[in-house]
Amino acid sequence: MVTQNPLTVLCIASFEKGVEFIRQCKNEGCRVILITSQSLENADWPRESIDEIFYIPDVDNQWNMQDVIYAVGYLARTENIDTIIPLNECDIEKVEQLNEHFQFPGSFNSKFNDKLVQRIHFDSIGILIPPFIHALNYAKIETFSKEVSFPYVIKPRYKNTVCNIKKVFNVDELWEVVNRLGDHLSYYIIEQFVAGSIYHVDSLLRNGKIEFALVSQYGPSSIETPHQGRVFSTRTMLKGTVDEQTLLLLNKQVLNSIKLKTGVAHLKFIKADLDGRFYLLEVLPHIAEAYISDLIFAASGINLWLEWAKLIVRGNKFYSLPPIENNYAGLLLSVTNQEWPNLDEYDAPEIVWKLDQKNNAGLIVVSENYNRISELMKEYTKKFYIDFFASYPMEEVKMDEEK
């Protein structure tokens, strides 16, 4: 489909991500401009689908935002930019700042990227969340530590990585981290750690209506074993169960409450071991990392990157969702001791994807039979630990020097 009035889409990518989105925008007739890291100048970008590429000087993919504002301001002298899209979770904040500065019409709206804003909002409307406090006032932190049982997780308000999360088990450990954070303290929240099973719901929305949603369950979280890590896993849930229907309903309630109109969303919930209730952990107005979009495509035939691009370009009136396939899928990922791990022995016919990446192993299995996926995930998780798993210490809390 070629639009009558082609849009100019500006993509922001500090890491190599969103290739399918770029290609689909070009297929839809858009003018596509990419701003990316200087260190990715030789990355495998789909250059045939990109009209202009601009590189920002970076240190480990981190940018000086003043450089980005100057670059976009320079572009805007000659380009009529219709929308700015972050291609990575960590680029959401950059796009928020660009939106605030330039006020381009139709630009990406993150809707509660700040975890503190999320929690205040959801707590006010009665959606269950773990007890939390802004890491700010010492007296209030002291009161919280007396009223809320340990352990806690101290997590950044904006960063979406477990390596920036610190788990503490007592008052001494709490104050050690608080003191270490120093001037960075206000950029964190303190939250009670809730033990349980973690789920995610990935959605596609059109004009406030959920066109598509799929519920999946994560394997054990690395935050539960902070000195060893875990083989990462997630698999789609058995359809029609009480838990799946409950999560779909909660997903709808949350998205309606933040008035997310058109786009994608990744929500995390935990079913607490203590009381069996679901608590909301996170709302991400983006496509999740860790190849979860590949898992969703394998199970449903819905490519969130492509559909997101279609929605942006075609608009609500001319968009229609493709047919949905009714399969189950599972995803495994692990950091490896081998530089280039060999997955040749993983040969089940249900395997539809293998990761080809240095020091990483990964695969996706698909079947119409949920029990078959469960069997394969159990078997291959055990085999991943034997064949590939690299145990490594979780990083300490990172201070965001840009703040």
Side-chain angles (χ1 to χ4, degrees), residues 321-356:
L321 185 72
I324 300 173
E325 299 173 12
N326 192 30
N327 294 318
Y328 295 98
L331 166 68
L332 285 174
L333 295 170
S334 178
V335 176
T336 66
N337 288 310
Q338 302 95 324
E339 185 175 14
W340 292 104
N342 187 342
L343 278 77
D344 288 348
E345 293 184 3
Y346 294 76
D347 55 4
E350 290 85 358
I351 296 175
V352 296
W353 174 87
K354 293 180 181 179
L355 179 63
D356 181 19

Side-chain angles (χ1 to χ4, degrees), residues 141 145 152 154 168 170-178 190:
I141 293 174
S145 70
Y152 301 159
I154 303 174
V168 297
N170 53 55
V171 171
D172 290 339
E173 291 183 0
L174 168 64
W175 285 107
E176 178 186 348
V177 176
V178 166
I190 301 168

Side-chain angles (χ1 to χ4, degrees), residues 3 7-9 21 25 28 30 82-86 106 108 262-263 305-316 319:
T3 58
L7 298 177
T8 296
V9 179
F21 180 90
C25 284
E28 296 285 324
C30 294
D82 293 292
T83 189
I84 312 178
I85 297 296
F108 174 87
T262 297
W305 286 106
L306 300 189
E307 302 311 313
W308 189 16
K310 291 176 187 176
L311 273 168
I312 290 170
V313 179
R314 299 181 185 182
N316 296 322
Y319 174 81

Side-chain angles (χ1 to χ4, degrees), residues 94-104 107:
K94 299 180 182 69
V95 173
E96 284 184 327
Q97 292 183 50
L98 292 171
N99 282 340
E100 183 178 353
H101 186 76
F102 292 103
Q103 295 292 304
F104 292 125
S107 288

Side-chain angles (χ1 to χ4, degrees), residues 70-94:
Y70 288 156
V72 174
Y74 177 81
L75 276 174
R77 297 175 190 176
T78 55
E79 298 283 354
N80 183 25
I81 298 171
D82 293 292
T83 189
I84 312 178
I85 297 296
L87 296 186
N88 193 286
E89 289 179 24
C90 64
D91 296 319
I92 292 175
E93 293 173 62
K94 299 180 182 69

Side-chain angles (χ1 to χ4, degrees), residues 195-238:
S197 300
I198 302 177
Y199 300 80
H200 57 99
V201 187
D202 297 272
S203 305
L204 182 73
L205 297 98
R206 176 171 65 98
N207 199 27
K209 177 186 176 183
I210 298 174
E211 291 282 314
F212 167 81
L214 187 66
V215 183
S216 306
Q217 181 177 356
Y218 285 111
S221 168
S222 57
I223 194 67
E224 296 176 357
T225 55
H227 299 296
Q228 295 183 354
R230 284 280 187 177
V231 169
F232 173 86
S233 67
T234 180
R235 60 178 174 175
T236 54
M237 275 191 74
L238 182 63

Side-chain angles (χ1 to χ4, degrees), residues 93-302:
E93 293 173 62
K94 299 180 182 69
V95 173
E96 284 184 327
Q97 292 183 50
L98 292 171
N99 282 340
E100 183 178 353
H101 186 76
F102 292 103
Q103 295 292 304
F104 292 125
S107 288
F108 174 87
N109 190 338
S110 75
K111 299 288 185 185
F112 298 125
N113 184 46
D114 183 337
K115 290 182 177 65
L116 177 61
V117 174
Q118 285 185 20
R119 280 148 180 75
I120 292 172
H121 168 75
F122 295 123
D123 187 48
S124 70
I125 63 173
I127 291 176
L128 279 177
I129 56 173
F132 75 97
I133 187 173
H134 185 196
L136 183 63
N137 181 271
Y138 281 11
K140 291 181 179 180
I141 293 174
E142 180 70 24
T143 299
F144 183 85
S145 70
K146 293 177 180 178
E147 296 178 349
V148 179
S149 59
F150 285 87
Y152 301 159
V153 282
I154 303 174
K155 59 178 66 173
R157 290 165 57 179
Y158 303 101
K159 298 296 182 181
N160 292 288
T161 169
V162 73
C163 290
N164 283 329
I165 297 175
K166 180 68 175 179
K167 189 176 181 181
V168 297
F169 295 86
N170 53 55
V171 171
D172 290 339
E173 291 183 0
L174 168 64
W175 285 107
E176 178 186 348
V177 176
V178 166
N179 291 330
R180 192 189 317 153
L181 286 170
D183 290 339
H184 302 272
L185 184 62
S186 65
Y187 291 95
Y188 286 76
I189 62 171
I190 301 168
E191 182 174 274
Q192 185 183 44
F193 174 78
V194 177
S197 300
I198 302 177
Y199 300 80
H200 57 99
V201 187
D202 297 272
S203 305
L204 182 73
L205 297 98
R206 176 171 65 98
N207 199 27
K209 177 186 176 183
I210 298 174
E211 291 282 314
F212 167 81
L214 187 66
V215 183
S216 306
Q217 181 177 356
Y218 285 111
S221 168
S222 57
I223 194 67
E224 296 176 357
T225 55
H227 299 296
Q228 295 183 354
R230 284 280 187 177
V231 169
F232 173 86
S233 67
T234 180
R235 60 178 174 175
T236 54
M237 275 191 74
L238 182 63
K239 296 178 176 63
T241 62
V242 172
D243 279 356
E244 189 231 16
Q245 295 302 306
T246 300
L247 286 165
L248 287 173
L249 179 59
L250 286 171
N251 181 63
K252 184 177 181 180
Q253 291 173 347
V254 169
L255 294 178
N256 284 343
S257 79
I258 64 174
K259 297 179 173 57
L260 185 60
K261 292 297 183 183
T262 297
V264 290
H266 173 78
L267 273 61
K268 290 182 184 177
F269 297 90
I270 188 164
K271 186 178 184 181
D273 291 340
L274 189 62
D275 59 17
R277 295 192 294 175
F278 286 101
Y279 292 76
L280 178 65
L281 293 180
E282 181 182 357
V283 177
L284 178 69
H286 203 275
I287 294 172
E289 303 292 340
Y291 301 97
I292 287 176
S293 61
D294 298 277
L295 170 83
I296 293 166
F297 176 69
S300 66
I302 300 299

Side-chain angles (χ1 to χ4, degrees), residues 19-59:
V19 168
E20 294 166 297
F21 180 90
I22 291 172
R23 287 199 177 106
Q24 187 62 38
C25 284
K26 177 50 67 174
N27 290 340
E28 296 285 324
C30 294
R31 177 169 172 78
V32 179
I33 302 172
L34 173 66
I35 294 180
T36 187
S37 300
Q38 184 74 52
S39 59
L40 296 178
E41 189 170 1
N42 297 318
D44 192 21
W45 295 110
R47 298 175 192 277
E48 74 284 353
S49 298
I50 302 172
D51 295 281
E52 298 280 353
I53 302 181
F54 297 89
Y55 300 101
I56 297 293
D58 69 290
V59 178

